[in-house]
């Protein structure tokens, strides 16, 4: 049979992070591709999920998620992020931050609409914009500026006709953390130009220098997106959430969810009910301190290499610029026994860079990996 696929499939590329992770799963390869913590999920969360399973929490939940978890998330966003006045009905849970972002773009973007993206940015934003029928307006960032927006960026941003901006600080793949002052400058432009902002805050806790800032603290035109995936090393649980003052948007996302996913996994949600306890928080803090140590070690080793890399303040990635063919260079490093993700799938400004994730390897492994990188160079 001659099967014709929908035209929306034309622009969808495979996720480079998953692709290179699969390639690096070979014996002897130190895998620095995938963006995930190598820690276990805190025991208290696992115990609660097990108890929920044994207690019969095996059925559908409300499409938005169980009310008690949405309430806890709303409380967290109010008390920690300063997003005052939110309540459980302003929150939706979904199958990971990725599904949340997908639903948000499906709800907001259609043919003729444009999404503004930082260049480079996480590999899935662009295909999600295309899957929604939209276009992308790219905003270049430079390695020598630590991939932080500067005057050129702001001047270009003033001229965009985008409907939605996706902001991601701390950033995947660069680790850049944008200051409150700069985020506010960007938000002021968005407010003036009626641009809606999706603030992807999945690396919120992974800030090593400076302070994290949620724009929804001071602006209403924002959907705040987060997940349990990184904060509690729960990438396999598939649990993300979003909140917004505009409840209509949350309800539209819920409509999509009700006709697609139905709801996220019941016992995963019950497990996550313990994520805001001191016990789980302490585990998460321990992981973040370890990652800071890794970031500092990685920077020591990067400084010895012939590349441009401003010390990133957050996430668990470095994105050094080597000025070479990044696809061929990544292949060469894989042959040398180190898996990395080439920079170009993150956007044209990622050309010549590679992404190194220190989330999934301890200092000892990182040390071996950098020895191999030095030899390969
Ligand atoms: N946003 C960014 C910037 C990411 O790096 C990721 C990948 N983890 C996600 C969203 C999606 O995370 P999740 O695993 O919760 O779907
Ligand atoms: N976000 C992580 C990464 O960038 C996990 C894979 C993915 O979702 O792309 O590696």
């Amino acid at each position: 049979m001659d099967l014709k696929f929908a035209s929306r499939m034309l622009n969808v590329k495979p996720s480079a992070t998953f692709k290179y992770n699969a390639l690096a799963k070979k014996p002897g390869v130190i895998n620095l591709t995938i963006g995930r913590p190598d820690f276990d999920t805190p025991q208290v969360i696992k115990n609660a999920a097990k108890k929920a399973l044994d207690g019969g929490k095996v059925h559908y939940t409300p499409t938005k998620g169980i009310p008690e978890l949405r309430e806890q998330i709303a409380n967290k966003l109010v008390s920690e992020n300063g997003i005052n006045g939110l309540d459980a009905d302003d929150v939706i849970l979904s199958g990971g931050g990725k599904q949340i972002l997908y639903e948000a773009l499906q709800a907001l973007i259609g043919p003729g609409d444009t999404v503004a993206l930082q260049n480079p940015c996480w590999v899935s934003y662009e295909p999600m914009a295309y899957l929604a029928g939209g276009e992308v307006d790219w905003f270049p960032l430079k390695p020598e500026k630590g991939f932080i927006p500067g005057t050129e960026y702001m001047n270009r941003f003033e001229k965009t006709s985008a409907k939605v901006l996706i902001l991601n600080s701390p950033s995947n793949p660069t680790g850049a953390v944008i200051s409150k002052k700069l985020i506010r400058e960007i938000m002021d432009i968005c407010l003036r130009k009626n641009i809606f902002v999706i603030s992807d805050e999945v690396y919120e806790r992974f800030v090593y220098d400076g302070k994290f800032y949620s724009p929804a603290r001071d602006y209403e035109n924002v959907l705040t997106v987060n997940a349990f995936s990184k904060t509690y090393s729960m990438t396999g649980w598939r649990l993300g959430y979003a909140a917004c003052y505009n409840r209509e948007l949350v309800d539209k996302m819920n409509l999509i969810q009700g006709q697609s996913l139905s709801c996220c996994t019941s016992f995963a949600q019950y497990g996550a009910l313990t994520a805001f306890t001191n016990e789980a928080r302490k585990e998460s803090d321990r992981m973040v301190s370890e990652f800071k140590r890794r970031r500092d070690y990685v920077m020591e080793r990067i400084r010895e290499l012939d590349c441009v890399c401003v010390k990133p303040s957050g996430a668990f990635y470095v994105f050094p610029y080597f000025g070479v063919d990044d696809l061929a260079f990544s292949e060469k490093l894989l042959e040398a026994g180190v898996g990395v993700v080439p920079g170009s799938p993150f956007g044209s400004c990622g050309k010549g860079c590679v992404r190194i994730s220190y989330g999934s390897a301890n200092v000892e492994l990182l040390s071996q990996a950098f020895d191999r990188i030095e030899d390969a160079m």
Side-chain angles (χ1 to χ4, degrees):
M1 186 187 161
D2 182 17
L3 193 55
K4 291 220 167 18
F5 290 99
S7 56
R8 76 174 71 86
M9 293 310 296
L10 289 173
N11 279 324
V12 187
K13 294 170 266 180
S15 162
T17 49
F18 279 105
K19 179 178 156 187
Y20 282 87
N21 181 41
L23 289 173
K25 285 195 178 210
K26 281 194 211 154
V29 171
I30 301 172
N31 187 351
L32 309 181
T33 61
I34 197 78
R36 72 152 178 90
D38 57 349
F39 279 60
D40 199 357
T41 302
Q43 194 59 44
V44 62
I45 302 179
K46 295 208 292 188
N47 288 347
K50 285 184 208 168
K51 198 168 153 210
L53 258 178
D54 289 340
K57 302 288 190 195
V58 295
H59 305 290
Y60 294 126
T61 73
T63 54
K64 261 189 182 178
I66 55 173
E68 51 273 49
L69 183 54
R70 286 187 284 115
E71 193 179 327
Q72 286 202 14
I73 292 168
N75 290 343
K76 176 252 183 233
L77 291 170
V78 172
S79 63
E80 287 181 20
N81 301 67
I83 310 174
N84 290 325
L86 288 180
D87 68 38
D89 287 337
D90 302 318
V91 176
I92 180 168
L93 280 149
S94 193
K98 197 179 247 177
Q99 184 71 17
I100 284 282
L101 289 158
Y102 181 80
E103 289 174 4
L105 288 175
Q106 287 290 321
L108 291 165
I109 295 296
D113 294 330
T114 299
V115 181
L117 293 180
Q118 291 167 344
N119 185 358
C121 68
W122 179 43
V123 291
S124 293
Y125 298 143
E126 183 192 15
M128 282 185 198
Y130 293 147
L131 279 168
E135 303 290 327
V136 168
D137 193 4
W138 289 102
F139 291 87
L141 297 169
K142 295 183 178 146
E144 64 274 19
K145 302 276 184 219
F147 298 102
I148 298 284
T151 319
E152 233 174 279
Y153 177 105
M154 299 304 261
N155 290 343
R156 238 182 76 55
F157 194 61
E158 284 280 3
K159 299 193 188 91
T160 187
S161 55
K163 181 178 180 185
V164 166
L165 163 72
I166 302 185
L167 205 58
N168 175 220
S169 168
S171 152
N172 178 1
T174 68
V177 177
I178 310 178
S179 68
K180 174 177 173 180
K181 181 172 175 288
L182 194 47
I183 291 181
R184 290 192 57 132
E185 281 174 35
I186 295 170
M187 291 303 301
D188 286 339
I189 300 177
C190 291
L191 207 56
R192 211 172 348 102
K193 292 176 64 84
N194 205 23
I195 297 172
F196 188 80
V197 177
I198 297 176
S199 178
D200 181 344
E201 307 185 358
V202 301
Y203 298 100
E204 163 194 37
R205 305 269 291 170
F206 301 87
V207 175
Y208 315 118
D209 319 299
K211 263 189 136 180
F212 176 79
Y213 171 71
S214 285
R217 186 183 191 115
D218 299 305
Y219 298 84
E220 288 195 356
N221 56 332
V222 191
L223 178 78
T224 303
V225 174
N226 210 324
F228 293 90
S229 310
K230 316 283 162 158
T231 307
Y232 299 101
S233 196
M234 289 172 67
T235 50
W237 294 58
R238 311 310 303 135
L239 212 54
Y241 59 88
C244 190
Y245 284 125
N246 187 325
R247 191 173 298 170
E248 227 186 325
L249 170 59
V250 174
D251 288 340
K252 290 276 188 276
M253 291 165 65
N254 190 36
L255 273 182
I256 296 169
Q257 183 140 298
Q259 300 291 16
S260 52
L261 183 68
S262 293
C263 62
C264 39
T265 308
S266 55
F267 45 89
Q269 294 183 58
Y270 284 97
L273 273 177
T274 59
F276 302 105
T277 57
N278 280 342
E279 206 177 330
R281 276 306 166 103
K282 259 196 236 151
E283 287 293 294
S284 176
D285 289 345
R286 199 168 61 82
M287 178 168 72
V288 173
S289 321
E290 164 62 14
F291 284 8
K292 180 174 192 292
R293 202 167 77 90
R294 291 185 193 175
R295 191 270 320 246
D296 292 341
Y297 176 74
V298 164
M299 282 314 296
E300 269 173 38
R301 297 299 301 264
I302 291 261
R303 278 191 204 105
E304 289 162 15
L305 302 177
D306 185 15
C307 65
V308 179
C309 186
V310 176
K311 188 179 186 177
S313 297
F316 35 75
Y317 307 108
V318 286
F319 201 62
Y321 173 78
F322 290 93
V324 292
D325 175 339
D326 51 282
L327 297 171
F329 187 51
S330 301
E331 217 170 283
K332 186 173 162 184
L333 291 183
L334 187 60
E335 277 163 25
V338 184
V340 298
V341 185
S344 41
F346 295 92
S348 59
C349 295
K351 272 199 183 110
C353 301
V354 296
R355 190 189 77 172
I356 297 173
S357 165
Y358 54 84
S360 47
N362 59 26
V363 168
E364 205 183 324
L365 278 174
L366 288 167
S367 157
Q368 286 175 36
F370 275 95
D371 290 347
R372 291 180 189 180
I373 294 173
E374 271 173 14
D375 288 347
M377 284 178 80

